[in-house]
Amino acid sequence: MPIWNALLAYGRMIKFSHTLFALPFAGLSFLLAYLESSLDTRDLIRLAVLCSVCMFSARSAAMGFNRYVDSEIDLLNPRTENREIPSGKVSKLAALMFIIVSSFIFIFSSYLVNPLAFLLSFPALFLLFLYSLTKRFTLFCHLVLGLAIGLAPLGAWIAVTENLTLVPILFSIGLLFHIAAFDILYALQDKDFDSKQGLYSIPVFFGENKARVISALLHILAMLSFVLAGSQALLGGLYYFTLTIITGLLYYEHRLSFSHSKQELPLQFYQINSWISVVLFVGIFIDKWNEILIKLSEGISFH
């Protein structure tokens, strides 16, 4: 397989284009942590690059593992039978090697960040892998996914400060609820298939209508967490205006899911989640713009 075609196949396998979904959540935490730190410009750039590598490699390892362990299930599901491993575009051995390499890059990058990040990289990777197995034994698999992806703000904060405060914890809790809510809507596509295969999910256990209510409640909890995080981080009115835009996007996401309840979800459903994270990051970035400029000028002058 030519190298370019191989890269495209691996990219499709791990849904590389969806990486934008969680990256801004790490970015906003990184930004707020930087404003409270004593980093100079050189260290800021170094950590920003390392954190980006950590995010991409951790997600690649997790998605690769998900596709690897679910390949037989995916082959039976008409919606997923054309994925790269079931269709033979990527072999299971090649996928396993991809997982190992991605995991090594994540751990080594964490080592270069700081000792605490390195120590936490192992349980973080375990949690990322655990999600792919949870639908075999618990309906709370959506919350496990939310917890795994919700580590992004915590990890970024630790990379900069080597400690934790309430701000990244609240953003991580918000991301946990948000991801879990999204995943419940996503799982509605496979409710009948999962039920036949003996797999667990909230839609399988509670049915479609109650699952939609649970998803909406989780999104409300997510927004409350983001409000509390903004208050704790002393964010201004622009941030809360951003949250109103996100509320509208979430409403649209639920409408899209409802209107496609008997068919595969459209591309817009996934794009909305990327826009939510980007809008939140941009809102914080603009809100803190003056502080960022001052901090950068101090770092350049110091250097």
Side-chain angles (χ1 to χ4, degrees):
M1 183 186 295
I3 184 65
W4 179 246
N5 290 341
L7 290 174
L8 288 176
Y10 285 120
R12 286 190 295 267
M13 180 181 73
I14 64 170
K15 295 290 184 182
F16 182 80
S17 59
H18 293 177
T19 302
L20 185 63
F21 178 62
L23 187 59
F25 279 99
L28 66 87
S29 183
F30 184 93
L31 176 63
L32 293 173
Y34 165 65
L35 293 176
E36 295 190 9
S37 73
S38 58
L39 287 180
D40 61 23
T41 306
R42 180 187 297 178
D43 286 336
L44 171 67
I45 295 172
R46 181 183 69 85
L47 282 177
V49 171
L50 286 174
C51 285
S52 298
V53 173
C54 285
M55 281 291 299
F56 282 111
S57 57
R59 187 187 181 281
S60 296
M63 282 297 296
F65 184 77
N66 178 268
R67 296 298 190 252
Y68 180 83
V69 299
D70 280 357
S71 58
E72 294 182 4
I73 296 174
D74 288 343
L75 184 61
L76 299 174
N77 189 342
R79 188 180 68 82
T80 58
E81 62 183 354
N82 290 321
R83 284 178 174 170
E84 280 59 38
I85 297 178
S87 64
K89 297 184 182 74
V90 175
S91 70
K92 291 198 72 172
L93 178 59
L96 181 59
M97 293 304 299
F98 178 84
I99 296 164
I100 293 171
V101 171
S102 297
S103 299
F104 174 79
I105 293 173
F106 170 61
I107 293 170
F108 184 67
S109 300
S110 300
Y111 171 78
L112 295 177
V113 170
N114 60 50
L116 181 58
F118 173 66
L119 289 175
L120 294 177
S121 66
F122 296 97
L125 201 58
F126 171 78
L127 189 59
L128 287 167
F129 287 164
L130 176 63
Y131 159 70
S132 297
L133 305 175
T134 51
K135 63 184 178 183
R136 292 163 171 79
F137 60 85
T138 177
L139 61 92
F140 297 111
C141 51
H142 318 283
L143 291 170
V144 176
L145 176 63
L147 179 62
I149 298 180
L151 295 174
L154 292 177
W157 192 279
I158 288 171
V160 176
T161 66
E162 294 191 61
N163 60 45
L164 278 178
T165 67
L166 190 56
V167 171
I169 293 173
L170 288 170
F171 274 116
S172 286
I173 291 172
L175 183 53
L176 185 163
F177 289 138
H178 171 48
I179 296 293
F182 165 83
D183 195 55
I184 290 170
L185 296 179
Y186 178 85
L188 286 168
Q189 299 174 103
D190 296 324
K191 181 175 73 70
D192 294 337
F193 173 82
D194 289 346
S195 180
K196 292 176 183 177
Q197 296 297 318
L199 299 173
Y200 292 78
S201 74
I202 283 178
V204 168
F205 190 83
F206 289 104
E208 179 178 338
N209 292 336
K210 289 182 179 178
R212 291 187 183 281
V213 172
I214 293 171
S215 176
L217 290 174
L218 287 173
H219 265 142
I220 291 172
L221 289 174
M223 294 307 296
L224 289 174
S225 298
F226 293 148
V227 168
L228 292 174
S231 174
Q232 191 68 25
L234 303 179
L235 293 168
L238 181 60
Y239 170 76
Y240 297 103
F241 175 72
T242 299
L243 292 184
T244 64
I245 296 175
I246 291 174
T247 301
L249 290 172
L250 290 175
Y251 173 75
Y252 182 52
E253 179 178 278
H254 282 263
R255 285 288 301 271
L256 270 178
S257 171
F258 185 79
S259 62
H260 291 80
S261 60
K262 302 302 180 183
Q263 53 190 299
E264 188 169 348
L265 291 166
L267 180 61
Q268 299 97 304
F269 177 80
Y270 306 98
Q271 291 174 331
I272 287 172
N273 272 317
S274 295
W275 278 109
I276 287 170
S277 57
V278 170
V279 167
L280 191 62
F281 174 80
V282 171
I284 292 175
F285 186 84
I286 297 175
D287 190 89
K288 293 289 188 179
W289 176 245
N290 289 333
E291 293 182 41
I292 294 169
L293 287 179
I294 295 171
K295 187 76 173 180
L296 286 173
S297 64
E298 290 175 350
I300 293 173
S301 299
F302 177 78
H303 178 65

